[in-house]
Amino acid sequence: MTQNILTNPEFQDMLKIVIEEKIPFCHLLGMKLDSFDPDAPQLGIDMREQLLGNFAQGMLHGGVIASVLDSVAGFAILLKMAQLSPQDDVPAQIREFGKMSTIDLRIDYLQPGRGKRFVATAEVTRLGKRVANVLMDLRNEKGERIATGAAAFMLHGRA
């Protein structure tokens, strides 16, 4: 492979298709990949009526918050794996996404989810052979922190 997989447009396009279109729940929530930087991955969602938990006060549903934070954690792990141990080709790198699953997820809801756009970021704090640990953050377009999270993912079939 002559090009860094992380900056490879084919890798980025394929990953966008997987997360934004092929994973039905991510598509339903309207997730969009904003940054492919393995040290600062980002995905975002725009507020829509269908995502409200408290419709009277216009607040994002807590389950949406948890799902977005869980998704950005998986995205961050995939990028970190691509950075540290790139596969031989783009399809092989994308298949790594299917070899992980959430085994623990903790969300701290810090304030009501009000806003027009929400951006989730994540930091992989440990990438082991079998388990990865991640810290996540969700903010609205004003930069107000809505929630934080911590997750552990099982990495299946990793040597």
Side-chain angles (χ1 to χ4, degrees), residues 12-149:
Q12 292 184 3
D13 290 345
M14 193 175 286
L15 191 51
K16 275 182 165 273
I17 289 169
V18 168
I19 292 178
E20 296 178 4
E21 299 174 24
K22 297 294 184 186
I23 300 174
F25 193 62
C26 293
H27 180 72
L28 178 73
L29 295 179
M31 289 184 200
K32 300 292 181 195
L33 300 183
D34 294 337
S35 170
F36 289 85
D37 180 347
D39 297 318
Q42 289 184 1
L43 67 78
I45 61 166
D46 292 324
M47 176 60 99
R48 301 188 330 264
E49 182 180 341
Q50 297 87 345
L51 303 180
L52 293 175
N54 184 323
F55 63 89
Q57 295 190 31
M59 295 185 305
L60 195 61
H61 191 285
V64 172
I65 293 170
S67 297
V68 169
L69 290 175
D70 182 47
S71 296
V72 77
F75 177 51
I77 293 166
L78 183 65
L79 293 178
K80 190 57 79 173
M81 289 190 308
Q83 178 187 41
L84 298 176
S85 52
Q87 298 297 310
D88 292 332
D89 58 50
V90 169
Q93 195 70 59
I94 296 293
R95 281 193 295 274
E96 294 291 301
F97 202 55
K99 297 179 181 177
M100 65 176 80
S101 57
T102 310
I103 56 174
D104 188 50
L105 180 66
R106 176 191 162 86
I107 306 298
D108 291 314
Y109 299 94
L110 305 175
Q111 67 175 307
R114 291 191 182 99
K116 296 177 183 171
R117 177 154 175 81
F118 300 91
V119 175
T121 59
E123 176 189 1
V124 177
T125 57
R126 180 180 178 273
L127 182 62
K129 290 184 184 226
R130 297 186 189 270
V131 176
N133 299 91
V134 187
L135 297 175
M136 303 88 70
D137 187 79
L138 182 73
R139 295 176 186 252
N140 65 14
E141 75 282 357
K142 295 176 185 174
E144 298 168 330
R145 182 175 280 135
I146 303 302
T148 59

